[in-house]
Each structure stands twice: as C-alpha cells, then as structure tokens.
Amino acid sequence: MISLPIGPAPAIYAQKGQRHSHSLRLSCLHDYQHGWNLHAGFRSTVPPALTSVYHPAVAKRRNTLWVHASSAGAAHLASSDDAPESESPVAKFKALFSPFSEAGTNKKLLALCGAQALSSVATLIHDTYLPLYLSEELKLSNTKIGNLQAMAQFLSNASKSLSGTLADLLSPARMIIFGTLLTTINKPMFALSGYVFASFGTVVCLYWVTFAKVFDRMSKGVREAPGKALIGELAAESGDKTEGAFGLRQAMSTFGALVGSIIAGLAYTLSRRNYAVTFSLSALPAVGALLLVTTAFGQRAKDQDAANKLKRKDAADKAKAEGTASLNIGQKVRAFMGALQPAYWQALSVVALLYFARFDASFITLRARTVMDKAQLPVLMSIMMITQAVLSTPCGLRAKRSLKERNNLLLGGFGSMIIADLLFAKVATPQGMMLGAAAVGVHMAMTHAICLSMLSSYIPATEVPGLGRVSGTVWSFTDFVLGVVLAYSNSVAGKLADYTQQRGLGNVGCFYGGMVAVTLAGLVLFICSRFLDLGKEELVTTKKGVAKLKPSKGG
C-alpha cells in the first residue's frame, strides 16, 4: 500500500507487497480547504499506472480519502473505505442540505435558509389574498394594483441598494438581523387592516395597506442583498461554489411560501372568508425567523464589527505612515466599475430581460379567479411552490457541473415560462390554470437560483484594492437595476391586462408581454454564451480555498 500523509510538506512512503493493484490513502492532516496542490505529492514515487486523480465534491466531508487504481491505470476517488460507486437515496437526500463541504458552514447556511423560509411563510399568509382584498374590498383596478406592486418592488430594490453597501461597511450578518426585525414589526400592520377599514373607511385603509405592502417589501430588501453576500462569504470560507447554496435557499424559501399559502387558504375558509383574521397569522412565523437569525448570527455580527473597526484603524495608520491619501469619489467609481468584468454585464442583461417577464403573481391570481372559485386559488400557489421546492436544489447542483449545463438549464427554464404564459392566456379552465402554475414552478426552479449564482460567478470574491469588500455593494447595484425592471414590468403588465380586458379578451395581455420578454432573454443568453463571455469557464470568479487536484505524472 502507498500512503500519502498530506501536511505542510507532502511526503510519500510505501509499504511492500502491493505491485499491481495499488491503493492510495490520502490522510488529510490539514483541511484541504487551504488549497493543497496534490500534484506535488505524486512526483516520481507514484507508479506510472496512476496517471490521474479526480476529486468529488463529497471528498471534503471526511478526513480520509481513498484512491483506487487498477494496474491498467484507471483511477477514481471515493469517500469511504469500501469506495462505493453510488450513494444511497438517504445519503443523496442529506447531500441536498449540505451544499458546502464544511459542517459548521452548512449549519449557518441552514439557519439562514430557515429564516428565509419562515419569512416566506409570513409573507404568503397575507399576500395570497391581498390582491383580492385590494380588488374587492378597496375596489382597485388591475392598473392600480400593478402600480402598487411596481412601487413596492422599486422601493424594495432601493432598500437593497442601501443594505448591500451597509453590509460591506458593517457586516452581512448585522444587516440580516436588522432586516428580519423590520419584517417582524411589519406583519401586524396587515392584521390591523380590518380595524382601519371599519374605523376610518376605504381611503384611509387603502393608504394603510399601501404603506404596509411597501414596508413589507422594503424590509425584505434590507435582508436580500446581505443574504446573498453572506452566502458568498460562507462559500469562500468552505471553498465551494454557490449554485447548490442558492438552490437550497430557493427551495426552502419556496417551501415556506407553500406552507404560508396553505395556512392562508385554511384560515380564509375556517374564518368564513375573513381577510383580517387570515392576515393576522403572519406575525407568528416572522417572530420565529427573528429568533433564528439572532441565535445563529448574533455572535458573528459582533465579531465582524470588531474586525471591521480594527481593519479601518490599521488602514488609517498605514495611510498616515506612508503619507498616502484615500481614493476620491471618481477614483472609487472607476475602481468599482473596473472590478466588474464584461461577463457580469452580459449576465445582468439576460437576467434583466427575464425579470421583465416576471411580473407579480397577483396577475396570475386575478386571471385565475375568472375561471376558479376563490377558495381554490391557494391551490395554484401550492402547485408552484411544490414544483419549485422539489426541483430547485437538484437543478442548482446540476448547474455546478459546467457552464454548458448552467446555460442549457436556463434556456429550458425560459421555454417553460413561455408554455406557462400560453396556458394562462389561452386555456381558460381550472386545469389550464393548474398546468400553467406547474410550468411557472418548473421555470422558477430552473432559473431563479441559477440566475443568482450566474451573477455571483462574476462578482469579485476578494477585496478590491482601494475599496475593500465590494460584494454587497455589487449586489445592491444589481438588485437596484432589477428592481427598476420589475417596477416597470408590473406597471406595463397592469396596463396590458386592462387593455385586453377592455376589448373583451380577458386580462391576458400581461402574459403575451411576458412571452416577448422571455424570448428576448433566451436570445441574448444564446448569443452571449456562444459568441461572447458567458460560455467561458475561465472567467468564472474563483473562490478562495478551492483545492484543484492536478493529474499526476508517472515516472
């Protein structure tokens, strides 16, 4: 047997007796996350039969890796003494919740995703029936509902712009806790809408609900950019890609939304269609989310605050000692823009066009109520959420394989969105609405987390000279651009829906507009991946700590 103890200075020693069937035992005395180049350990001591070593993602989860090679020279790596060729279904299921190779990092990710799921539960409890409340109780038209959604989305993304920058200055953990606190404060406002309506009338209630909706989206915005930046930090700490983490985040958020819509449907039915009683339940999961993030990230926020203070002091002392001045605003802007490679702008163009097709789900609800009973409307959300929850993480893990896989999944997701729009527009039956909801779920599973990870792939993972950490600021800028797109999309969707409804075609104009936008997104992705930068593996940002195992050379 040939044993390879990997330490600060890799060494090789051999035991006699194995000449034709070799086993290599790699005892990792240090985490491979520090980036050992294992190629240096093979050199001439390894038999010529061992010509290559492949490293699976699961390898880091144990301190002992086994490499088996036949005398013919085939080599492959497994994570157990028996080197099983396939994992059990239970192991595969557990792997969906462990996208990172560090157990501690996975626990932090699960806490973050769990809080996101609870926040989604709270939001869907009131958002499932909010469009009907606005339409039936407050008598708003499709255009006005669309404008309200547009304003809420715009201000949400404006808050993301500020929170991402603050996350770079303070810490992502600190901003996540603060945003979750705002969400917890917001939810009781929806419960009080019935009291406001009964006491002060329709106009005052309209302003109240409008403010509550805007406040709700802004509090989500405060959490959003720091949450994405924190996933990037956790990935860098463990030396992994972000696709699996974003997929898990979407899956758990979607599962929370599913639970929230089910709770909303039950509460609405059991309360005899009382909107205020239904909305009031949203406060409970919000409190749970606040407790979870405070417990999981409270100490991390304190540690990062202390580290930031020390870093700023050291930078000031260094500048004073060297007699150098900090960059002015113009220099900082140039440095910031220079840190973003062309592939980032191409990815942003694709996602922006896609987001123009993603107007608010309120328009699906308003379309479906013309062919379905109102008590059945949560079924549509359930179909969408179940599909997303089941498919999001597997799609994210598949996208990690290569850029070709990633781009093909995105194109498939775009096609699924076109099918959904056609079903909503043309098949005016409950079955058509359900099939459309399923197609939306497939689309979201194949595109949402992968779009985020695609953008993350081209965002600087390390500090930029003169600027420091910029990932939160880049996410803020990204979310602001996408927020403008979503705001305009909702406004146009409302006008298109009213246009077709006034002409006796039903409120389907928004779906035709969506088909045009998603088709353009697919065309731009095809061009950028085939002729420009979105198909080039070497342009993907490399996270620190990833061990790349080079093929060994015999002799």
Side-chain angles (χ1 to χ4, degrees):
M1 176 179 287
I2 300 174
S3 295
L4 304 178
I6 308 296
I12 298 179
Y13 60 92
Q15 294 181 2
K16 298 179 180 179
Q18 298 291 338
R19 292 181 180 272
H20 300 290
S21 180
H22 305 282
S23 290
L24 299 184
R25 177 165 179 161
L26 309 181
S27 299
C28 298
L29 304 182
H30 291 262
D31 289 343
Y32 91 86
Q33 70 171 6
H34 297 292
W36 297 122
N37 183 348
L38 299 189
H39 177 263
F42 288 91
R43 296 181 183 166
S44 62
T45 322
V46 178
L50 293 178
T51 57
S52 61
V53 177
Y54 296 89
H55 193 300
V58 74
K60 176 61 177 65
R61 295 179 191 159
R62 294 175 180 262
N63 289 332
T64 301
L65 313 178
W66 285 92
V67 182
H68 295 280
S70 67
S71 57
H76 46 107
L77 193 64
S79 62
S80 71
D81 294 349
D82 297 326
E85 295 183 357
S86 61
E87 293 182 341
S88 67
V90 174
K92 290 180 179 179
F93 179 76
K94 290 181 178 179
L96 296 177
F97 296 89
S98 302
F100 294 144
S101 51
E102 288 283 350
T105 308
N106 280 321
K107 289 181 180 179
K108 293 184 177 68
L109 177 65
L110 286 173
L112 179 65
C113 295
Q116 180 75 25
L118 288 172
S119 297
S120 296
V121 172
T123 297
L124 264 293
I125 287 176
H126 59 71
D127 264 14
T128 298
Y129 285 102
L130 188 61
L132 298 183
Y133 184 72
L134 294 171
S135 177
E136 296 182 353
E137 299 295 327
L138 304 183
K139 308 302 181 184
L140 293 188
S141 65
N142 290 327
T143 297
K144 290 181 178 178
I145 292 175
N147 289 337
L148 172 59
Q149 297 289 359
M151 180 174 62
Q153 289 289 356
F154 176 78
L155 292 176
S156 171
N157 284 274
S159 65
K160 292 177 188 178
S161 302
L162 179 61
S163 66
T165 302
L166 289 175
D168 284 338
L169 295 175
L170 302 174
S171 70
R174 176 70 64 194
M175 293 306 300
I176 289 170
I177 293 172
F178 178 64
T180 308
L181 174 62
L182 293 180
T183 298
T184 304
I185 295 172
N186 165 256
K187 298 309 178 184
M189 294 185 66
F190 293 97
L192 293 173
S193 60
Y195 171 78
V196 174
F197 180 79
S199 301
F200 303 101
T202 302
V203 176
V204 174
C205 186
L206 176 59
Y207 282 110
W208 177 267
V209 173
T210 299
F211 178 75
K213 179 64 177 178
V214 170
F215 186 14
D216 173 59
R217 294 298 85 193
M218 289 182 68
S219 66
K220 181 180 186 295
V222 171
R223 294 182 279 114
E224 192 71 9
K228 296 170 185 173
L230 183 56
I231 288 178
E233 284 188 1
L234 296 176
E237 290 173 7
S238 63
D240 296 291
K241 292 184 178 181
T242 60
E243 284 89 346
F246 277 113
L248 178 62
R249 176 179 180 264
Q250 184 191 354
M252 292 187 66
S253 177
T254 302
F255 178 75
L258 169 63
V259 173
S261 64
I262 293 173
I263 292 174
L266 291 174
Y268 185 70
T269 302
L270 296 176
S271 65
R272 297 182 180 180
R273 307 194 176 192
N274 188 309
Y275 291 108
V277 171
T278 302
F279 296 161
S280 65
L281 297 179
S282 63
L284 298 178
V287 172
L290 179 61
L291 293 174
L292 186 57
V293 295
T294 302
T295 302
F297 299 108
Q299 187 59 48
R300 182 186 182 93
K302 293 178 181 178
D303 293 342
Q304 288 182 331
D305 288 344
N308 288 338
K309 290 180 181 178
L310 183 60
K311 186 183 297 184
R312 285 192 292 268
K313 182 178 182 300
D314 290 343
D317 292 342
K318 182 178 179 181
K320 184 177 180 180
E322 297 177 355
T324 58
S326 60
L327 299 179
N328 58 39
I329 296 297
Q331 291 172 327
K332 288 183 177 180
V333 171
R334 286 193 293 272
F336 178 78
M337 300 302 287
L340 302 176
Q341 53 182 309
Y344 165 80
W345 299 105
Q346 295 166 25
L348 183 60
S349 299
V350 173
V351 179
L353 283 169
L354 175 63
Y355 272 41
F356 198 84
R358 284 189 184 174
F359 42 81
D360 194 81
S362 301
F363 293 99
I364 296 177
T365 301
L366 294 172
R367 168 59 173 163
R369 74 169 181 176
T370 62
V371 297
M372 297 176 65
D373 183 75
K374 288 186 293 184
Q376 296 177 335
L377 293 178
V379 173
L380 296 181
M381 297 300 297
S382 299
I383 292 172
M384 284 188 277
M385 302 310 170
I386 290 173
T387 308
Q388 288 185 63
V390 170
L391 297 178
S392 291
T393 302
C395 286
L397 294 175
R398 186 178 182 86
K400 291 175 64 176
R401 298 179 182 179
S402 67
L403 293 190
K404 183 178 180 181
E405 290 278 7
R406 182 194 73 185
N407 295 335
N408 286 341
L409 280 169
L410 288 175
L411 289 173
F414 295 171
S416 181
M417 188 64 171
I418 293 174
I419 293 173
D421 285 328
L422 283 172
L423 288 167
F424 287 129
K426 291 292 189 179
V427 187
T429 64
Q431 294 78 10
M433 300 298 103
M434 292 179 186
L435 288 174
V440 170
V442 173
H443 162 78
M444 293 298 292
M446 295 179 70
T447 62
H448 188 66
I450 297 175
C451 282
L452 295 179
S453 64
M454 177 173 67
L455 289 166
S456 178
S457 297
Y458 306 113
I459 292 176
T462 57
E463 292 189 354
V464 176
L467 297 179
R469 181 173 55 193
V470 299
S471 59
T473 303
V474 176
W475 275 117
S476 290
F477 172 75
T478 303
D479 287 332
F480 178 78
V481 172
L482 297 180
V484 173
V485 172
L486 279 174
Y488 192 58
S489 171
N490 278 291
S491 181
V492 171
K495 292 178 181 178
L496 289 175
D498 278 342
Y499 178 83
T500 53
Q501 188 170 25
Q502 291 166 3
R503 282 155 181 76
L505 302 175
N507 53 347
V508 298
C510 52
F511 303 110
Y512 290 114
M515 281 188 280
V516 173
V518 76
T519 301
L520 290 175
L523 180 62
V524 172
L525 175 61
F526 175 79
I527 293 173
C528 291
S529 60
R530 178 63 66 90
F531 304 108
L532 298 176
D533 297 328
L534 294 187
K536 298 179 180 179
E537 294 276 0
E538 66 272 15
L539 296 180
V540 175
T541 299
T542 302
K543 304 292 183 184
K544 66 180 181 180
V546 179
K548 295 184 178 179
L549 304 188
K550 298 181 180 179
S552 60
K553 297 179 181 179

